[in-house]
Amino acid sequence: MCTAAARIASDAKYALARLENLSGRPPLLAPRQRISRAPLFVPQDIRPALVELGCSAPTIAALAHIFSSLQHQLRRTYATCFDRTVDELSTSGPQYEVSLDEWGKMLVERYIRDYEEAEQRACAALLAEVRNARSQAAVATSDAEGGRGNFSAEVVEVLERA
């Protein structure tokens, strides 16, 4: 996560430098002024996808709880990195009144987008594991019901003749 924060900080510094070059020299803000709006991370509901895969109610409840815990951890991590990034950028150089609101909006949008992408990747990975487990269970069930199991072809032939 902090690698993404460093990338965001670098992009924000670059944007500020470009704005300074384009607009001349706007008035300086008071030091340590912060962005007033923190990112709002909206959690995704995984239950409909699990229902679509045919999971049982207890399985859905357990997997939804696991995914909810993961989302909570992601939100906490991204919020902490956002705060750290804002603190570091607010002390790293001059800030200008003209660009602070615009810069803050870009930073918030970037963190929200990165959070949503991480959440989607986690959701896709969890659903892929569920699909994989279901297909393995289906193969194991079909082997047990109609397949030879651990018997060789000769043993199956002898049993079928009997």
Side-chain angles (χ1 to χ4, degrees):
M1 302 311 156
C2 290
T3 304
R7 193 174 67 241
I8 291 169
S10 173
D11 291 348
K13 279 185 176 180
Y14 176 74
L16 284 173
R18 289 196 58 194
L19 284 172
E20 181 180 349
N21 290 338
L22 293 175
S23 63
R25 198 165 167 101
L28 287 172
L29 288 175
R32 306 284 278 156
Q33 185 166 357
R34 291 183 48 91
I35 296 171
S36 59
R37 184 179 151 232
L40 176 64
F41 301 121
V42 179
Q44 174 183 347
D45 188 10
I46 197 170
R47 289 182 181 126
L50 295 170
V51 168
E52 189 176 305
L53 287 175
C55 295
S56 66
T59 302
I60 290 172
L63 291 174
H65 178 71
I66 291 169
F67 190 65
S68 176
S69 296
L70 174 81
Q71 288 172 313
H72 176 72
Q73 185 177 2
L74 274 174
R75 283 191 304 272
R76 188 176 58 221
T77 301
Y78 272 84
T80 300
C81 284
F82 175 82
D83 289 341
R84 189 174 340 140
T85 301
V86 169
D87 285 343
E88 289 173 6
L89 289 175
S90 68
T91 60
S92 66
Q95 294 180 352
Y96 301 103
E97 210 169 307
V98 175
S99 62
L100 183 65
D101 288 337
E102 195 173 318
W103 173 77
K105 288 176 188 174
M106 289 187 304
L107 188 62
V108 167
E109 288 172 9
R110 175 73 180 262
Y111 267 88
I112 290 172
R113 186 179 71 233
D114 286 354
Y115 166 80
E116 288 172 349
E117 289 172 358
E119 183 186 52
Q120 288 171 358
R121 283 191 306 272
C123 181
L126 182 64
L127 293 175
E129 286 294 323
V130 170
R131 284 186 199 96
N132 187 31
R134 289 183 59 81
S135 67
Q136 287 178 357
V139 168
T141 303
S142 68
D143 281 348
E145 291 175 355
R148 296 187 316 196
N150 291 331
F151 297 114
S152 66
E154 296 83 19
V155 172
V156 170
E157 186 179 324
V158 169
L159 291 172
E160 287 175 350
R161 279 190 265 152

